[in-house]
Amino acid sequence: MIPSSLWSLTYILEIYLSSNSLSGPLSLEIGNLKVLRVLELSTNQLSGHIPTTIDGLKDIANLSLADNHFQGSIPESFGELLSLEFLDLSSNNLSGEIPKSLEALSYLKYLNVSFNRLRGKIPVGGPFVHFFAASFMSNDELCGELRLQVPPVKKVILDQKRPQ
């Protein structure tokens, strides 16, 4: 369990707690860390949903929640983390679609959402033009551009019957 006192350190710049066997959910108070630049929580047993209050981390540049047990969707509010350069959400149990809001992250250089249960169309704008297949592997229900080695987007053709 991450001590609740951590979330009151509003002026902390970097947190490295990888590989510490931490368990339980992330606190809703995570958004209190207003000047945090690095949050490295990979390779633990953290679980539950990623809190939407994470959008309070306005200065975050490096965020790794990889190799945990997070579930649910990637919060749409991640698109408000405009300073984000590195985002690793791989090897969790995340589901739903990759938020189109992530296209607004113009500084994002690295994204890894592999080994989850994501579905739907991979966004194509903004930083997504620079990502490769490895960022999305082992999400069997993703689709998108051929260069990403996922099935192509299916085009729905509506059969419009003409009045007779």
Side-chain angles (χ1 to χ4, degrees):
M1 186 77 127
I2 298 175
S4 59
S5 58
L6 178 70
W7 311 119
S8 63
L9 301 174
T10 54
Y11 294 105
I12 193 165
L13 292 174
E14 299 181 358
I15 297 173
Y16 296 92
L17 291 173
S18 291
S19 303
N20 278 287
S21 299
L22 298 170
S23 62
L26 277 182
S27 171
L28 292 174
E29 296 178 46
I30 192 170
N32 294 346
L33 306 176
K34 300 292 184 197
V35 297
L36 191 68
R37 296 283 298 147
V38 177
L39 180 58
E40 175 57 76
L41 295 174
S42 63
T43 317
N44 283 294
Q45 286 93 46
L46 297 170
S47 60
H49 289 77
I50 298 171
T52 57
T53 53
I54 206 163
D55 67 354
L57 305 178
K58 298 295 184 197
D59 291 336
I60 194 85
N62 183 328
L63 176 60
S64 181
L65 303 176
D67 198 18
N68 279 288
H69 303 288
F70 289 110
Q71 61 193 36
S73 59
I74 299 170
E76 191 77 32
S77 59
F78 269 32
E80 297 174 33
L81 302 178
L82 299 178
S83 297
L84 203 56
E85 298 173 21
F86 179 99
L87 177 59
D88 193 346
L89 301 174
S90 64
S91 300
N92 279 287
N93 198 24
L94 297 171
S95 57
E97 297 186 0
I98 298 171
K100 194 163 173 52
S101 64
L102 297 184
E103 290 179 328
L105 302 179
S106 57
Y107 295 109
L108 191 63
K109 303 291 184 253
Y110 178 86
L111 172 72
N112 191 346
V113 294
S114 63
F115 298 96
N116 280 290
R117 295 183 307 117
L118 298 170
R119 61 176 164 72
K121 184 175 187 260
I122 297 170
V124 295
F128 285 85
V129 300
H130 303 292
F131 300 140
F132 298 102
S135 294
F136 307 102
M137 66 192 315
S138 290
N139 285 283
D140 295 335
E141 294 186 44
L142 283 178
C143 60
E145 297 179 347
L146 286 176
R147 70 178 180 81
L148 299 175
Q149 300 174 11
V150 294
V153 177
K154 293 180 182 171
K155 295 186 184 206
V156 177
I157 301 173
L158 299 174
D159 184 21
Q160 297 180 348
K161 293 186 177 182
R162 295 183 185 176
Q164 297 177 343

